[in-house]
Amino acid sequence: MNAPAPRAAKVTPLSGFPEYLPAERIVEQHFLDVIRETFELHGYPSIETRAVEPVDRLVGKGGDADKEIYGVSRLAGEEGEGGEAELGLHFDLTVPFARYVLENAGRLSFPFRRHQIQKVWRGERPQEGRYREFTQADIDVVDVGELSPHFEAEIPLVMAEIFQKLPIGRMTIQVNNRKIPEGFYRGIGIDDVAGTLRIVDKLDKIGPEKVRAMLLEAGRTDDQADRCLALAAIRTEDLGFVERVRALGVDHPLLDEGLEALSRVITTGMENAPGAMVADLKIARGLDYYTGTVYETQLEGHESWGSFCSGGRYDALASDGRTTYPGVGISIGVSRLLGLLLGRGLLTASRSTPACVLVAVNAEEDRPRSNRIATALRARRIPCEVAPKPAKFGKQIRYAERRGMPYVWFPGAGDDGTDQVKDIRSGEQVDAEAGSWNPPAEDVRPQILRADA
């Protein structure tokens, strides 16, 4: 008696690890292409770092990030192996980039700029817009000893150009300088700058009344709490923020430095990307290593989703004990942004395949002719697919329709045996030669469509 066949294991999705259908993947690839091409237009070469770093380095650079690190260990480890994992998957691209700079400093030309588009992993609770595995796209500029401040103005311009090219609506880059709140807080007698920044950073989440209560609970006076909120309320698209800060009557050398630095960034933005940047003095960025300009970016109409693109200046990206490498960088949360746009149906692709032409097959013995036509079209960079079966032409047309392909090519369909191509949207069918026919430019590649367009 034969034993019963084992039951197939049930396939269930893993939350926090997004996988896209073909049409969604086309949207993602369009975003990645635009991002990469724009990075390269600004002279940022690409690097790729390994997926794992020593856990002690990840923990040391990430504060309490050890709670989110995925440890990596061998399932079939040798005897004696065990205990806590020594390697972990990187949770951002800054930590591996800092290590990369230290390891390759002798072979890099400084100031060194790079772009990096890779997966990262965080073991946090999955929810809308937050994933365990996701793609980030970073640019950074790093130098030896000192970094010219003009890079702090140039970095957000790259992002402004990307956002202009993507079909996503208006993205506003909010800019601040950490020296402004630090100098301001010290000027009103607050010594715990980091603690105050962390509280003020919650403004968008809990509102000014609760932030004020938290400031008082942390030992700030009524006057100090009111002044902190007054500073955080300042937001301008021009240099008006300087006068508004001065009107608060606080003096401190660090505050002067921060206002001057932020003025340079906003001036550069006004000259090169009008309306793309605003001075927003509530932006703090929670990570302690930011020391100068900081950035956050929101999608207009979807502010509740928070920032999709953030970063800042850090005066000690990496150090080998003798040399310090300061830098400035910014990162796009590609998966986070797509999670909103695709999940809410705000973007879609015009078709689920890169092919714009289906080459029909009259009969199986005629497939070589269809293959030759497809080869000729591809040689001229016209994406196409050969029909999988020599079915009735109505079925082959429906095959193309279901995938969004706008054209079907019929070998020898003309009265004199010439080929014909049909636009299945309009029904128009004309004679065509594979060596000269061209579809409209907008049909060659899938188009990314906005729901509100």
Side-chain angles (χ1 to χ4, degrees):
M1 183 175 179
N2 293 332
R7 294 179 62 185
K10 184 178 179 181
V11 177
T12 57
L14 286 175
S15 61
F17 295 84
E19 292 180 330
Y20 295 128
L21 294 173
E24 297 169 329
R25 175 65 172 157
I26 284 172
V27 176
E28 182 189 40
Q29 286 184 306
H30 174 74
F31 274 53
L32 295 176
D33 287 344
V34 168
I35 292 168
R36 176 185 54 79
E37 290 169 4
T38 307
F39 285 167
E40 292 178 353
L41 278 174
H42 287 261
Y44 289 84
S46 172
I47 69 166
E48 182 172 289
T49 56
R50 66 198 185 205
V52 297
E53 298 291 335
V55 168
D56 57 357
R57 172 171 287 275
L58 293 171
V59 173
K61 293 292 184 180
D64 64 349
D66 54 310
K67 300 175 183 177
E68 300 181 354
I69 295 170
Y70 278 110
V72 177
S73 59
R74 296 173 58 197
L75 292 179
E78 298 177 2
E79 186 175 351
E81 292 183 343
E84 296 184 359
E86 296 181 358
L87 299 177
L89 295 172
H90 56 228
F91 56 83
D92 70 4
L93 298 179
T94 301
V95 173
F97 176 55
R99 187 264 310 159
Y100 180 94
V101 169
L102 288 176
E103 286 189 2
N104 295 284
R107 294 178 288 175
L108 299 176
S109 297
F110 292 94
F112 174 62
R113 61 177 69 203
R114 77 82 168 87
H115 85 259
Q116 196 168 346
I117 303 175
Q118 281 186 240
K119 298 279 191 183
V120 299
W121 296 266
R122 293 182 187 175
E124 59 185 358
R125 182 175 64 86
Q127 52 188 300
E128 190 177 38
R130 291 191 177 275
Y131 308 105
R132 292 171 173 172
E133 178 184 71
F134 53 99
T135 299
Q136 287 190 180
D138 288 23
I139 53 171
D140 287 85
V141 182
V142 62
D143 211 340
V144 180
E146 293 185 12
L147 180 72
S148 175
H150 69 79
F151 288 115
E152 296 175 56
E154 294 177 16
I155 283 274
L157 291 179
V158 182
M159 295 304 176
E161 187 173 325
I162 288 171
F163 298 143
Q164 184 189 24
K165 294 175 180 177
L166 293 174
I168 57 177
R170 179 173 176 175
M171 295 281 277
T172 303
I173 303 174
Q174 303 157 306
V175 191
N176 194 8
N177 190 291
R178 287 289 288 269
K179 294 179 181 179
I180 293 176
E182 181 173 353
F184 187 90
Y185 297 161
R186 295 193 185 283
I188 60 175
I190 295 176
D191 294 324
D192 183 10
V193 172
T196 305
L197 277 172
R198 288 191 182 95
I199 295 173
V200 173
D201 198 31
K202 301 178 185 294
L203 264 171
D204 283 339
K205 293 182 179 179
I206 65 176
E209 290 186 7
K210 291 184 179 179
V211 166
R212 188 179 191 279
M214 290 181 67
L215 288 170
L216 295 176
E217 186 179 342
R220 314 298 177 258
T221 67
D222 285 325
D223 180 65
Q224 288 172 336
D226 289 340
R227 289 189 176 212
C228 289
L229 290 173
L231 179 72
I234 296 174
R235 175 187 170 106
T236 69
E237 295 185 0
D238 53 22
L239 299 180
F241 69 91
V242 177
E243 183 178 344
R244 292 179 60 181
V245 172
R246 295 300 187 197
L248 297 177
V250 178
D251 292 312
H252 193 279
L254 204 57
L255 175 60
D256 296 339
E257 289 181 30
L259 290 173
E260 182 181 350
L262 184 56
S263 295
R264 287 195 299 265
V265 174
I266 296 301
T267 299
T268 302
M270 292 168 62
E271 293 173 349
N272 296 276
M277 281 186 256
V278 299
D280 191 331
L281 303 195
K282 73 175 179 297
I283 303 303
R285 300 296 300 140
L287 295 176
D288 292 338
Y289 53 72
Y290 289 121
T291 56
T293 304
V294 288
Y295 320 98
E296 288 192 355
T297 309
Q298 293 182 335
L299 178 60
E300 191 172 286
H302 300 278
E303 288 81 3
S304 63
W305 271 63
S307 181
F308 294 100
C309 173
S310 57
R313 164 107 184 209
Y314 31 78
D315 286 327
L317 167 73
S319 176
D320 59 8
R322 301 183 306 275
T323 305
T324 299
Y325 300 88
V328 59
I330 195 166
S331 172
I332 303 176
V334 179
S335 298
R336 178 170 168 74
L337 180 57
L338 288 170
L340 168 64
L341 298 172
L342 294 174
R344 299 289 178 89
L346 301 177
L347 282 186
T348 186
S350 60
R351 57 183 187 257
S352 62
T353 173
C356 76
V357 180
L358 177 72
V359 181
V361 177
N362 297 327
E364 196 56 45
E365 56 268 25
D366 296 326
R367 184 172 293 277
R369 179 176 180 176
S370 297
N371 286 336
R372 288 193 296 271
I373 292 168
T375 298
L377 291 171
R378 292 173 188 142
R380 299 174 48 245
R381 305 191 66 79
I382 299 174
C384 60
E385 178 183 342
V386 176
K389 295 180 180 179
K392 293 180 179 180
F393 285 151
K395 288 188 176 181
Q396 296 192 52
I397 291 172
R398 286 193 291 275
Y399 177 93
E401 282 178 330
R402 284 194 296 270
R403 290 155 180 80
M405 284 182 270
Y407 299 98
V408 177
W409 191 286
F410 297 106
D415 293 337
D416 56 356
T418 59
D419 295 348
Q420 291 190 331
V421 64
K422 179 173 184 153
D423 184 334
I424 59 177
R425 299 163 299 186
S426 66
E428 181 183 15
Q429 185 166 326
V430 297
D431 291 346
E433 293 184 358
S436 58
W437 175 81
N438 284 300
E442 63 269 18
D443 287 339
V444 175
R445 303 286 174 185
Q447 299 296 300
I448 309 304
L449 308 175
R450 287 179 55 177
D452 58 353

